Amino acid sequence: MLPYKSLIQVDRKAAVTLYIQVCNQFIALITNGTMRPSDALPSSRVLSELIGINRHTVRLAYEELISQGWAESIERKGIFVLSKLPILSKNKLPESNRDARPNEAFAWTNRFKGAAPGESLQRSGLAIDDGFPDVRLAPVDQLMREYRSISRRHYGKNFLKYGSTKGSEHLRASISGYLSQTRGLVVSTENMLITKGSQMGIYLASQLLLEPSDHIAVGMSNYKTADETFRHAGASLLRIPVDHNGMDVDYLEKALVSTKIKAVYIIPHHHCPTTVTMSVERRLKLLDLAKAHRFAIIEDDYDFDFHYDNKPYLPLASIDHNQNVIYIGSISKTFAPALRVGFMTGPPTFIEAAASLRLLIDRQGDTLLEEAFAVMYDTGEMERHFRKSLRIYKQRRNLFCQILQSDFNDVLDFKVPEGGLAVWTNFVAEIDLVKLSVDAFKNGLYVGNGSFGRNESFSTNAMRLGFASLEEKEMVEALSLLKKTVQQPHSTH
Ligand SMILES: Cc1ncc(COP(=O)(O)O)c(C=O)c1O
């Protein structure tokens, strides 16, 4: 007899009834070849004793198996796997399925080399992240109140139906008002698509602007997922150096003599990974180049709202009179990353095409959530949240940099970032960042290993250290664990 005690496991807390759980697990044993046609099932008495459930529940499970056509009852003999089922070759258990000979239909998945899928960062415990917001500051209760209140209203029921692929008209109007007040960017709702975070905007723009063999200019160091997105569109990357004033536009100008480009991707506030802000002079020159060489600018301004020391510079999109700029922003980065709402602005025909493309993979966003965010903008709640976060993040940045300065002076150097949620730290060559990350984890601290910031043309012994999501006490503790790890002899080569 098969070891049913370990093969059939029920979970009394699960939403699925017990007899269906038993039935489904028998089906799995049949389809993976563990049970074969005409094999006998254990009697209801035996199985109920083995797995500790009521005999009646086992009978219900067997009846279900019979009614679904997996088993048959033979008088005075018992219950058997249906004899007429095709013989299924015995598959190994799921973890071994990787060894199975791949079906050629899936061949492309083996060739596809995108960025590694995002890992869950929903862990508890101390972490120095890549520069993410402190989700505890987000007025989520308020947002959820609005969400519930809209869903209860008569007109709110409409938001449960299919809505516009471009996103809630109300949210587009609210964000458009906010963009105009905060950064002089005047766009109508026709010029805007609500996305699921900036990444969707980057993807849609890349698919619409780039064709195989096109070139796109990107920073020598760059946001890795954007690089992969452009490569996925078939484009080649033209790497342009990035210094303390952002992308070196003079270098780009020279490169344009020999290479025609379709687009430039920039993160002017604040470059990822190095956190620098692009100067006004370079912004203006880049706009001129776009006009002269007829390329598009993809402006990823996910960090605009968090600029500490002076007023943030106007986005290129606000000064562009030639409709060459696609402007991308995200509520996910300023509120909470798991709430996937962002936006993209551009010429109406571009936005129309982006909506048509988005439709192919995602009919629309969560309209109720978008409506709730719209109310949060209209009531000034979003602005209050940004102002409060800005004040707190600035304090955190200052403390974080003070501690780095005083306690890590001998192992790293950095510039205090004017904005954003992370510090770009250059470690001395003796510190092996991969080992540092592993050792820190053993000491109870998550910290990256710098690999996300590197690429084929940019490899420094550096990484982003995010300060925004750490309260003062957590920050002190996290940095003291980092220091302890740095001082361990095995953290070095
Ligand atoms: C430069 C940059 N752009 C875009 C994104 C994606 O943000 P979102 O969560 O809004 O998709 C990130 C996320 O880390 C980023 O660093």
Side-chain angles (χ1 to χ4, degrees):
M1 190 165 66
L2 289 171
Y4 290 107
K5 199 169 170 166
S6 56
L7 290 177
I8 309 275
Q9 307 229 332
V10 291
D11 176 0
R12 290 178 190 280
K13 293 200 205 95
V16 182
T17 55
L18 287 183
Y19 84 92
I20 291 291
Q21 292 185 41
V22 174
C23 168
N24 286 345
Q25 292 185 51
F26 269 109
I27 294 173
L29 293 179
I30 297 168
T31 54
N32 73 19
T34 304
M35 297 190 79
R36 300 163 70 89
S38 304
D39 276 359
L41 274 68
S43 73
S44 56
R45 185 184 53 76
V46 169
L47 189 67
S48 76
E49 279 168 13
L50 277 174
I51 63 175
I53 59 169
N54 190 299
R55 207 166 155 185
H56 178 63
T57 306
V58 179
R59 282 203 207 101
L60 284 176
Y62 285 180
E63 277 167 26
E64 185 64 27
L65 279 170
I66 293 168
S67 79
Q68 288 191 28
W70 293 101
E72 57 194 335
S73 166
I74 300 182
E75 218 174 318
R76 283 196 294 280
K77 287 196 172 156
I79 313 282
F80 295 83
V81 177
L82 195 72
S83 58
K84 289 196 301 252
L85 280 182
I87 295 185
L88 298 164
S89 56
K90 184 162 170 33
N91 284 334
K92 292 181 189 147
L93 290 171
E95 55 271 25
S96 319
N97 277 355
R98 289 166 195 275
D99 303 334
R101 191 173 71 85
N103 177 344
E104 287 73 22
F106 294 87
W108 189 78
T109 49
N110 297 331
R111 286 203 306 275
F112 176 59
K113 295 250 182 311
E119 57 171 312
S120 170
L121 301 177
Q122 295 169 345
R123 62 175 91 78
S124 44
L126 268 186
I128 299 181
D129 59 34
D130 198 58
F132 301 136
D134 186 342
V135 293
R136 295 166 295 190
L137 298 178
V140 176
D141 285 349
Q142 222 121 345
L143 177 73
M144 290 303 141
R145 256 203 304 281
E146 297 301 345
Y147 192 96
R148 270 218 314 282
S149 139
I150 297 166
S151 70
R152 282 192 191 128
R153 284 163 210 249
H154 180 66
Y155 72 82
K157 302 291 178 213
N158 264 332
F159 300 133
L160 298 172
K161 301 175 186 168
Y162 279 120
S164 163
T165 303
K166 284 188 195 159
S168 146
E169 171 103 26
H170 185 178
L171 182 59
R172 282 185 276 146
S174 304
I175 292 182
S176 145
Y178 180 71
L179 293 179
S180 147
Q181 283 160 22
T182 55
R183 59 204 83 175
L185 176 55
V186 182
V187 283
S188 80
T189 55
E190 289 313 297
N191 293 70
M192 184 181 297
L193 173 77
I194 301 297
T195 59
K196 288 200 173 142
S198 322
Q199 183 53 38
M200 183 185 262
I202 298 170
Y203 178 79
L204 293 173
S206 71
Q207 291 291 317
L208 292 173
L209 297 173
L210 303 171
E211 288 172 284
S213 81
D214 281 344
H215 281 85
I216 178 167
V218 300
M220 197 73 88
S221 63
N222 197 28
Y223 174 48
K224 189 172 251 159
T225 315
D227 286 347
E228 295 303 338
T229 309
F230 304 138
R231 285 192 174 119
H232 180 61
S236 302
L237 307 183
L238 176 66
R239 295 276 186 197
I240 308 294
V242 177
D243 59 23
H244 57 281
N245 282 320
M247 182 180 275
D248 183 343
V249 178
D250 293 332
Y251 184 103
L252 172 67
E253 186 176 27
K254 287 186 196 120
L256 289 174
V257 174
S258 55
T259 310
K260 167 119 186 96
I261 62 167
K262 267 285 183 63
V264 174
Y265 169 76
I266 46 163
I267 316 161
H269 282 118
H270 309 89
H271 184 71
C272 180
T274 60
T275 80
V276 296
T277 304
M278 190 180 213
S279 68
V280 171
E281 196 189 338
R282 287 193 178 171
R283 290 171 191 239
L284 294 175
K285 177 148 188 184
L286 186 57
L287 282 170
D288 272 352
L289 288 178
K291 187 173 166 204
H293 294 265
R294 308 198 62 72
F295 58 78
I297 298 172
I298 302 173
E299 182 175 19
D300 179 356
D301 211 12
Y302 76 120
D303 236 3
F304 179 94
D305 290 293
F306 298 131
H307 196 78
Y308 309 116
D309 293 335
N310 41 26
K311 279 226 157 296
Y313 299 140
L314 283 187
L316 282 77
S318 309
I319 355 173
D320 169 40
H321 301 298
N322 300 291
Q323 303 224 316
N324 291 328
V325 181
I326 308 300
Y327 186 71
I328 292 172
S330 178
I331 299 178
S332 302
K333 268 295 159 81
T334 46
F335 198 93
L339 297 175
R340 306 299 300 156
V341 182
F343 57 89
M344 173 163 72
T345 74
T349 46
F350 173 84
I351 293 298
E352 202 66 34
S356 300
L357 178 60
R358 182 233 178 107
L359 174 71
L360 301 185
I361 186 161
D362 187 24
R363 172 66 173 70
Q364 64 181 85
D366 174 343
T367 319
L368 264 180
L369 181 64
E370 293 173 7
E371 287 294 319
F373 267 126
V375 175
M376 299 277 284
Y377 274 102
D378 297 350
T379 55
E381 200 55 54
M382 291 299 273
E383 214 172 329
R384 276 192 288 283
H385 164 63
F386 294 147
R387 249 188 282 130
K388 177 177 153 197
S389 309
L390 189 69
R391 183 173 46 77
I392 293 174
Y393 291 161
K394 181 171 178 175
Q395 287 164 359
R396 291 183 183 175
R397 176 203 65 170
N398 292 347
L399 177 63
F400 196 82
C401 290
Q402 259 170 35
I403 302 176
L404 286 186
Q405 190 69 52
S406 59
D407 292 9
F408 293 83
N409 208 10
D410 50 340
V411 288
L412 57 84
D413 79 89
F414 66 96
K415 264 204 152 92
V416 178
E418 292 173 332
L421 310 180
V423 181
W424 178 243
T425 47
N426 283 283
F427 284 76
V428 291
E430 289 73 31
I431 304 270
D432 177 339
L433 294 186
V434 173
K435 278 180 108 322
L436 181 70
S437 172
V438 171
D439 292 344
F441 199 69
K442 288 182 196 151
N443 288 336
L445 172 72
Y446 169 86
V447 66
N449 61 21
S451 61
F452 192 71
R454 291 191 207 112
N455 60 48
E456 76 292 343
S457 54
F458 184 77
S459 65
T460 54
N461 201 35
M463 68 173 149
R464 286 163 65 89
L465 296 181
F467 54 80
S469 60
L470 293 166
E471 283 171 358
E472 186 175 327
K473 198 163 152 274
E474 295 164 335
M475 184 182 291
V476 169
E477 200 184 334
L479 287 176
S480 89
L481 283 176
L482 186 64
K483 185 165 183 202
K484 173 179 155 190
T485 315
V486 163
Q487 285 171 338
Q488 283 170 215
H490 49 282
S491 279
T492 58
H493 286 298

